Amino acid sequence: MSVARGLRLAAVAAVVVAAVVCLAGSARGAFHRQLLVELNPDSSSTPPGGDLLHVRAVGVNDTLHYLFSSQGAPTLLLLHTDSASSTIKVNWTQFLARNTSGGLWVEPEGSLQFSTALVFSRLLEYDDVNNTAEPTSELFPPYDLQNFTWSRLNLSGATPNALLCGGVAHGSLCLQLAVYGDEGRGQSWPRLLHSANSSQLEVRLDNITPRSPQSRFLLELQAVGGAFPRSRVDVRRSIDDEFTPSIFKVSEWVSFANGSSDVLGFVQWKPVAYRQYNPVLEDATPCRHSEPVPGSGESVASSSMLIRAFFAAPHIVGLNVSFGLAGEPFYNSTGFLSWTLLVGVGSPPVDVFSPLVISIMAVGLGTPMILLLLGGVYVSIRRRGGTNAGQAYEPIN
Ligand SMILES: *[C@@H]1O[C@H](CO)[C@@H](O)[C@H](O)[C@H]1NC(C)=O
Ligand SMILES: *[C@@H]1O[C@H](CO)[C@@H](O)[C@H](O)[C@H]1NC(C)=O
Ligand SMILES: *[C@@H]1O[C@H](CO)[C@@H](O)[C@H](O)[C@H]1NC(C)=O
Ligand SMILES: *[C@@H]1O[C@H](CO)[C@@H](O)[C@H](O)[C@H]1NC(C)=O
Ligand SMILES: *[C@@H]1O[C@H](CO)[C@@H](O)[C@H](O)[C@H]1NC(C)=O
Ligand SMILES: *[C@@H]1O[C@H](CO)[C@@H](O)[C@H](O)[C@H]1NC(C)=O
Ligand SMILES: *[C@@H]1O[C@H](CO)[C@@H](O)[C@H](O)[C@H]1NC(C)=O
Ligand SMILES: *[C@@H]1O[C@H](CO)[C@@H](O)[C@H](O)[C@H]1NC(C)=O
Ligand SMILES: *[C@@H]1O[C@H](CO)[C@@H](O)[C@H](O)[C@H]1NC(C)=O
Ligand SMILES: *[C@@H]1O[C@H](CO)[C@@H](O)[C@H](O)[C@H]1NC(C)=O
């Protein structure tokens, strides 16, 4: 009877804890942005050379402008303004001329608080003959993403969702952008936690014919800022829960202002890629990143029209993400890789234990505690009544 009651109490405690956590979660997620999507702003026709997607994420007193373009190397530009009515203007004559900055700007100009961009510059492939996963001299000529023929943007879904694909060696490199107005989680692994101040990009290398059976890939990224961004990659421990099984880390490439530790913007990912479109645990493959290094503003601006149009003097920091470790299967094992990252302003989202995990812990820790407590009470009652019980039994002995 006491065991049953203990279990019941523990279950009630777990439900209460879970409910509190859910409430806290929804209070945290109450911040919401209204999302407005437009394709090729200020253009009456489809511009040659690729689309420009503009998603406005409007808050109470501020706006996040997401600009995503395949004019040259695929680029996501994120502009934060302190006005709920700021807009983006494009001078297409200038934008398409590709030789001066000023083709894209924010109005009112003084509302701009922070700007950052991420350019997907190159896909590198190397022949890992000795299965060491070290890109050494065995590099094949890189795929320059600015020279790809990109598909038109395919917009779909309730959350603004855009798919951009380019052909590589009989296969494709695709980028799927999802812009969010609320806190939540991505649909598929690694199920990254996002806020209303971040959006997600998934990179997929699908059915590419490798130039060697032992090929592995690297993806080169360039982070762009107006003022010279101080930047570093932090690797934090992450709790393991049901969202990203077996991955205990999260990497955050943060930029912050001089003389301040305030994070202005971030790129966040879990160091894992998946070898199948619908992965199971065995399809997870670790990935690593190189140290960020300063790059050439001019070369990145000439590769991405969005960078050229917006930044007068872009400052660049680049890094490589490599997929697979020594001993892991090569790309040809499945002919597929997907990797997901989050781009946003402010501090990156931090995973907390989910309500499910908390209720499991509450049951797991709470039940023994309550049983111990009840056991203690029972024993002390027995002790107090001990003399009577003893007297009652003695005559029989
Ligand atoms: C928005 O701006 C107004 C006026 O500047 C200010 O009174 C208000 O507190 C701000 N609201 C938020 C949520 O920041
Ligand atoms: C766009 O830029 C071109 C070249 O700088 C300029 O001649 C033209 O007047 C601009 N158009 C608008 C609408 O501002
Ligand atoms: C940019 O290119 C356009 C057309 O190709 C040309 O008319 C213009 O003079 C160029 N501007 C600069 C600054 O080179
Ligand atoms: C692979 O291993 C062989 C034998 O140890 C060595 O000669 C060769 O240089 C290695 N190749 C690479 C790319 O490391
Ligand atoms: C890509 O195009 C640029 C500009 O046309 C050119 O300079 C570069 O060499 C090309 N890259 C490759 C790998 O073909
Ligand atoms: C656009 O994407 C949807 C869903 O991802 C897909 O079903 C559709 O075929 C795509 N359209 C084009 C033109 O690629
Ligand atoms: C998102 O940005 C808004 C406005 O800067 C801020 O008030 C809010 O706390 C941010 N939310 C998160 C989860 O960072
Ligand atoms: C991948 O390449 C290796 C080495 O040549 C080969 O043994 C293996 O069969 C290939 N796997 C697939 C799935 O093609
Ligand atoms: C930050 O500091 C660096 C070197 O100390 C300097 O070159 C740069 O101009 C500074 N940036 C800003 C925005 O103050
Ligand atoms: C990425 O890796 C390639 C090959 O090792 C190297 O040439 C390039 O400089 C790296 N890029 C960055 C930004 O570190």
Side-chain angles (χ1 to χ4, degrees):
M1 174 207 133
S2 64
V3 171
R5 181 177 291 176
L7 279 174
R8 220 177 303 141
L9 273 171
V12 167
V15 167
V16 168
V17 168
V20 166
V21 167
C22 282
L23 279 175
S26 60
R28 203 159 18 88
F31 182 74
H32 167 78
R33 290 182 186 277
Q34 189 193 357
L35 301 177
L36 303 157
V37 184
E38 60 180 334
L39 197 57
N40 303 316
D42 294 341
S43 175
S44 48
S45 59
T46 315
D51 287 315
L52 173 62
L53 174 73
H54 175 212
V55 182
R56 243 188 314 162
V58 185
V60 182
N61 276 346
D62 71 336
T63 306
L64 284 176
H65 295 274
Y66 292 96
L67 292 136
F68 186 51
S69 168
S70 58
Q71 294 258 355
T75 302
L76 179 67
L77 171 64
L78 180 46
L79 305 173
H80 189 205
T81 69
D82 65 1
S83 155
S85 59
S86 61
T87 54
I88 294 291
K89 294 284 176 200
V90 183
N91 179 333
W92 283 97
T93 320
Q94 235 174 309
F95 193 95
L96 296 172
R98 305 187 160 199
N99 57 7
T100 52
S101 70
L104 185 146
W105 67 98
V106 171
E107 273 182 7
E109 269 179 75
S111 66
L112 185 66
Q113 300 295 299
F114 177 65
S115 57
T116 184
L118 191 66
V119 179
F120 293 83
S121 50
R122 295 193 297 170
L123 178 68
L124 302 131
E125 178 182 358
Y126 64 100
D127 187 2
D128 193 7
V129 275
N130 292 342
N131 201 353
T132 55
E134 292 299 334
T136 49
S137 53
E138 310 298 310
L139 274 168
F140 291 109
Y143 294 110
D144 212 343
L145 269 50
Q146 63 172 305
N147 300 355
F148 281 24
T149 306
W150 295 98
S151 65
R152 311 254 29 139
L153 279 179
N154 181 352
L155 304 180
S156 62
T159 50
N161 221 301
L163 181 65
L164 179 69
C165 290
V168 203
H170 311 296
S172 61
L173 186 157
C174 292
L175 293 165
Q176 177 118 40
L177 171 73
V179 178
Y180 303 110
D182 293 288
E183 186 180 282
R185 273 185 196 279
Q187 296 275 301
S188 48
W189 282 353
R191 304 215 54 200
L192 293 181
L193 177 70
H194 58 254
S195 72
N197 296 340
S198 56
S199 66
Q200 179 177 291
L201 270 165
E202 184 185 337
V203 184
R204 293 196 285 265
L205 306 179
D206 194 3
N207 217 12
I208 295 171
T209 305
R211 285 172 277 186
S212 145
Q214 297 86 240
S215 276
R216 295 191 194 278
F217 287 94
L218 305 171
L219 189 64
E220 188 183 61
L221 307 175
Q222 313 281 355
V224 187
F228 204 103
R230 306 242 341 251
S231 125
R232 60 159 196 261
V233 182
D234 298 331
V235 177
R236 278 200 300 105
R237 286 183 158 279
S238 173
I239 52 175
D240 180 51
D241 63 10
E242 76 264 34
F243 297 115
T244 318
S246 82
I247 304 300
F248 299 93
K249 284 183 178 153
V250 60
S251 302
E252 291 166 355
W253 188 8
V254 293
S255 51
F256 49 97
N258 274 356
S260 158
S261 57
D262 288 351
V263 174
L264 301 170
F266 65 87
V267 181
Q268 184 195 58
W269 64 87
K270 292 213 174 162
V272 61
Y274 296 99
R275 285 191 299 262
Q276 295 281 2
Y277 190 81
N278 292 308
V280 295
L281 205 50
E282 293 78 56
D283 299 318
T285 190
C287 52
R288 291 172 300 168
H289 61 85
S290 62
E291 274 309 300
V293 291
S296 151
E298 181 45 40
S299 87
V300 173
S302 69
S303 76
S304 161
M305 297 320 109
L306 206 43
I307 300 303
R308 168 68 81 214
F310 183 76
F311 293 97
H315 288 284
I316 311 294
V317 183
L319 59 72
N320 284 325
V321 174
S322 59
F323 305 109
L325 299 181
E328 289 272 317
F330 300 113
Y331 179 81
N332 85 337
S333 66
T334 59
F336 183 88
L337 272 178
S338 78
W339 177 63
T340 305
L341 64 158
L342 209 62
V343 181
V345 298
S347 298
V350 177
D351 254 326
V352 293
F353 285 112
S354 69
L356 177 63
V357 170
I358 290 194
S359 18
I360 290 170
M361 289 197 316
V363 171
L365 296 175
T367 309
M369 290 286 270
I370 286 169
L371 288 181
L372 270 174
L373 210 75
L374 289 176
V377 169
Y378 179 69
V379 165
S380 63
I381 288 172
R382 278 295 301 258
R383 283 257 171 82
R384 205 173 291 165
T387 32
N388 292 341
Q391 280 168 351
Y393 281 104
E394 242 158 15
I396 296 170
N397 282 353

